[in-house]
């Protein structure tokens, strides 16, 4: 009687399926470009706000009000950027989350456990670090949620700038982690930063969302139907007292993201493809332009590391994020008896966890909400977010550069296509036709090599 072999341990950060790899590559390409624009916008904001001759103009533009006052929408430019443009960003986040739930890693509970636990730990530990740092120093606990967010676009911009190519499995983990992170950030905003509710406006927003859902189910098409409806839902949500970006998430989650027979792309994927460049290339950079403009001086930077609230934000982003994500990943692998991919080391996971400490866009938003009405502390917290993100950037860049040669070899292996089929060879190795093609290619190369050898031999004989 033969003894059955125990099942091989499940691998974490193993090779992605080909469709998932293609989706991740397309999504991250757009986010990388958007991240570079985000980085440029943040630098422009800092320059604009810190040059004495231009500082007043930055304040004037940021606080310039426009919009229909009768509808409760006479908002400043900075307010429109935070509540209006970021709704587009969260709309895309809602679509990403829906796609992950129905077609991505999150549809499989076993696969979903890793990014979900990592994201939860990557939010809980920074909040705890902030609470301990600020609480022990006698500071306010209002900013506990500031260091909990990860900015995927900024993280990818850092990868692009330092010239490091992470293997696709780690990039996919970072993307999924950020999607789950965004979901919990949205929940935090909805639950903890909603004060007075206007139930009439909230009921109107809910009715608008119901109409949106019904039109989608009926197969109604046309941007001229959905864009005006989306604007009405957004305005009602804003006036309800709930942060208006929640409207974007809700509408994104309603889109169908699974493909039906004969469809090349689902409606959700198609709309995401259209809207993501608007989000990454316009909405988020403009938000950064009018949120990152804080006065930076020697005294201001010193206060970042001496005030308990701001020190809590910095340590939460730099220390809390890295320990939380790495610890959550390691514990999940240990308790599910999964093993790390043979091509990677736990140092790679720690480097990605450190990179996730870049908490720019949503951290700035939560900072504004947490200290609303206290302009001085709000600016200090923004400076702390910038400082913490910068420290996390430098630390991640150093850690990733150490392993960069290994990453390049893995990427080359992932992308090698010797038979020129348009599909990387690693995805064809179980196909008998692939081995026939490769045998033919190798035979032709060998024949070419023999022909060149004969020609060189003939040349030598002629010279002799």
């Amino acid at each position: 009687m033969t003894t059955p072999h125990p099942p091989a341990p499940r691998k974490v950060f193993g090779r992605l399926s080909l469709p998932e790899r293609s989706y991740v590559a397309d999504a991250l390409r757009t986010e990388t470009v958007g991240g570079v624009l985000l980085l440029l916008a943040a630098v422009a904001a800092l320059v604009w706000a810190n040059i004495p001759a231009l500082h007043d103009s930055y304040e004037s533009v940021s606080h310039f009000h426009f919009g229909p006052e009768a509808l409760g929408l006479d908002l400043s430019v900075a307010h429109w950027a935070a509540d209006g443009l970021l709704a587009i960003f969260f709309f895309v986040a809602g679509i990403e989350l829906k796609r992950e739930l129905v077609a991505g890693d999150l549809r499989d509970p076993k696969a979903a456990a890793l990014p979900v636990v990592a994201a939860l730990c990557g939010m809980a530990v920074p909040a705890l670090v902030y609470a301990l740092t600020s609480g022990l120093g006698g500071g306010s606990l209002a900013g506990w949620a500031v260091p909990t967010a990860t900015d995927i676009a900024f993280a990818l911009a850092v990868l692009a700038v330092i010239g490091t190519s992470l293997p696709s499995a780690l990039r996919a983990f970072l993307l999924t982690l950020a999607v789950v992170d965004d979901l919990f950030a949205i929940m935090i905003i909805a639950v903890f930063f909603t004060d007075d509710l206007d139930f009439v406006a909230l009921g109107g927003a809910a009715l608008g969302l119901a109409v949106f859902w019904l039109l989608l189910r009926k197969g109604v098409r046309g941007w001229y139907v959905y864009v005006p409806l989306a604007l009405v839902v957004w305005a009602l949500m804003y006036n309800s007292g709930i942060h208006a970006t929640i409207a974007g998430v809700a509408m994104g989650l309603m889109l169908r993201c699974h493909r039906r027979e004969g469809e090349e792309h689902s409606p959700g994927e198609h709309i995401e493809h259209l809207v993501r460049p608007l989000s990454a290339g316009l909405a988020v950079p403009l938000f950064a332009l009018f949120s990152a403009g804080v006065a930076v001086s020697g005294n201001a930077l010193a206060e970042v590391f001496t005030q308990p609230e701001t020190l809590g934000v910095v340590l939460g982003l730099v220390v809390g994020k890295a320990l939380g994500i790495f610890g959550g990943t390691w514990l999940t692998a240990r308790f599910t008896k999964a093993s790390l991919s043979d091509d990677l080391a736990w140092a790679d996971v720690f480097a990605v966890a450190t990179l996730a400490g870049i908490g720019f866009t949503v951290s700035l938003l939560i900072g504004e909400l947490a200290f609303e009405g206290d302009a001085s502390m709000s600016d200090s917290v923004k400076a702390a977010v910038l400082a913490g993100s910068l420290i996390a950037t430098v630390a991640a860049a150093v850690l990733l550069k150490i392993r960069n040669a290994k990453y390049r070899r893995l990427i080359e292996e992932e992308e090698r296509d010797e038979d020129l089929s348009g599909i990387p060879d690693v995805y064809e190795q179980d196909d008998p036709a692939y081995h026939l093609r490769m045998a033919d290619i190798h035979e032709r190369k060998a024949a070419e090599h023999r022909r060149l050898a004969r020609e060189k031999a003939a040349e030598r004989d002629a010279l002799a």
Side-chain angles (χ1 to χ4, degrees):
M1 180 177 177
T2 57
T3 304
H5 294 287
R10 188 172 61 85
K11 298 286 186 181
V12 294
F13 305 118
R15 187 195 312 155
L16 302 176
S17 67
L18 186 59
E20 187 69 9
R21 182 181 182 275
S22 300
Y23 170 80
V24 168
D26 290 342
L28 294 184
R29 193 177 299 114
T30 304
E31 291 287 0
T32 300
V33 173
V36 173
L37 293 175
L38 174 62
L39 184 60
L40 293 175
V43 172
L46 288 170
V47 171
W48 191 1
N50 284 279
I51 294 177
L54 299 176
H55 176 77
D56 289 343
S57 66
Y58 180 81
E59 292 295 320
S60 298
V61 173
S62 295
H63 295 102
F64 177 78
H65 280 65
F66 68 96
E69 187 173 356
L71 299 178
L73 296 175
D74 181 24
L75 311 177
S76 68
V77 170
H79 207 161
W80 275 110
D83 284 57
L85 291 177
L86 275 195
I88 301 172
F89 166 78
F90 280 108
F91 174 68
V92 173
I95 299 175
E96 287 178 334
L97 178 63
K98 179 68 173 288
R99 187 204 161 274
E100 287 291 334
L101 289 169
V102 301
D105 286 344
L106 298 184
R107 76 184 186 281
D108 177 5
K110 289 183 179 178
L114 183 66
V116 169
V117 173
L120 283 172
C121 292
M123 300 183 83
V125 176
L128 180 62
V129 169
Y130 175 91
L132 289 173
T133 305
S134 185
L136 292 175
S140 170
L141 296 180
W144 64 270
V146 175
T148 60
T150 294
D151 195 310
I152 183 65
F154 217 132
L156 293 171
V158 169
L159 290 177
V161 170
I162 66 176
T164 297
S165 294
L166 279 178
S168 58
L170 285 178
R171 284 176 174 255
F173 172 68
L174 188 60
L175 179 62
T176 306
L177 184 78
V179 170
V180 179
D181 194 293
D182 285 341
L183 169 66
F184 288 113
I186 292 158
M187 293 172 63
I188 287 172
I189 290 170
V191 173
F192 294 99
F193 297 104
T194 297
D195 296 325
D196 298 324
L197 282 176
D198 183 327
F199 288 99
V200 174
L202 184 59
L207 180 61
L209 288 172
V211 172
F212 188 88
W213 180 85
L214 186 61
L215 291 174
L216 289 173
R217 292 300 170 272
K218 293 293 184 181
V220 175
R221 296 188 177 187
W223 63 267
Y224 47 83
V225 174
Y226 291 102
V227 171
L229 178 59
L231 291 174
V232 170
V233 171
W234 174 87
L236 288 167
M237 190 70 75
Y238 175 82
N239 281 288
S240 73
I242 296 177
H243 201 269
T245 53
I246 305 300
V249 178
M251 287 184 280
L253 286 170
M254 289 181 182
L255 293 174
R256 177 169 63 82
C257 291
H258 63 274
R259 300 177 188 178
R260 291 175 178 166
E261 188 175 352
E263 285 185 337
E264 186 177 353
H265 302 289
S266 67
E269 290 173 320
H270 176 67
I271 293 172
E272 181 189 8
H273 181 73
L274 294 176
V275 179
R276 186 189 286 275
L278 179 63
S279 169
L282 180 67
V284 175
L286 281 178
F287 168 75
L289 182 64
F290 294 108
S291 292
V294 295
V296 178
S297 63
N299 290 335
L301 290 176
E303 287 178 356
V304 165
F305 297 97
T306 55
Q307 287 183 307
E309 295 91 346
T310 52
L311 181 60
V313 169
V314 173
L315 292 179
L317 288 171
V318 178
V319 179
K321 272 288 182 185
L323 292 181
I325 293 173
F326 178 80
T329 305
W330 185 83
L331 287 171
T332 303
R334 181 175 177 84
F335 284 105
T336 58
K337 298 182 179 179
S339 63
L340 192 64
S341 170
D342 297 334
D343 295 325
L344 300 173
W346 283 107
D348 301 313
V349 181
F350 187 78
V352 171
T354 304
L355 187 66
I358 301 172
F360 193 77
T361 305
V362 180
S363 289
L364 289 176
L365 175 62
I366 294 177
E368 290 181 356
L369 296 173
F371 294 99
E372 193 172 13
D374 188 345
S376 176
M377 181 55 71
S378 179
D379 283 348
S380 295
V381 167
K382 286 182 182 180
V385 170
L386 295 174
S389 297
L390 179 60
I391 294 170
T393 296
V394 173
V398 171
L399 294 173
L400 292 170
K401 275 294 186 182
I402 293 172
R403 297 273 291 173
N404 203 29
K406 174 71 173 178
Y407 298 151
R408 279 199 301 269
R409 288 195 297 272
L410 291 175
I411 291 293
E412 289 170 2
E413 183 66 27
E414 285 182 5
E415 296 179 348
R416 183 177 294 118
D417 183 18
E418 290 189 21
D419 63 344
L420 302 178
S421 65
I423 299 174
D425 293 339
V426 292
Y427 292 96
E428 295 187 292
Q429 290 174 355
D430 295 331
D431 181 4
Y434 164 76
H435 293 288
L436 290 175
R437 290 196 302 272
M438 291 306 299
D440 181 59
I441 290 170
H442 291 153
E443 177 57 33
R444 281 189 276 117
K445 286 183 177 179
E448 181 67 12
H449 180 73
R450 290 193 297 269
R451 185 185 66 78
L452 292 174
R454 286 196 301 271
E455 289 178 355
K456 286 182 179 179
E459 289 175 3
R460 286 195 301 269
D461 292 343
L463 291 172

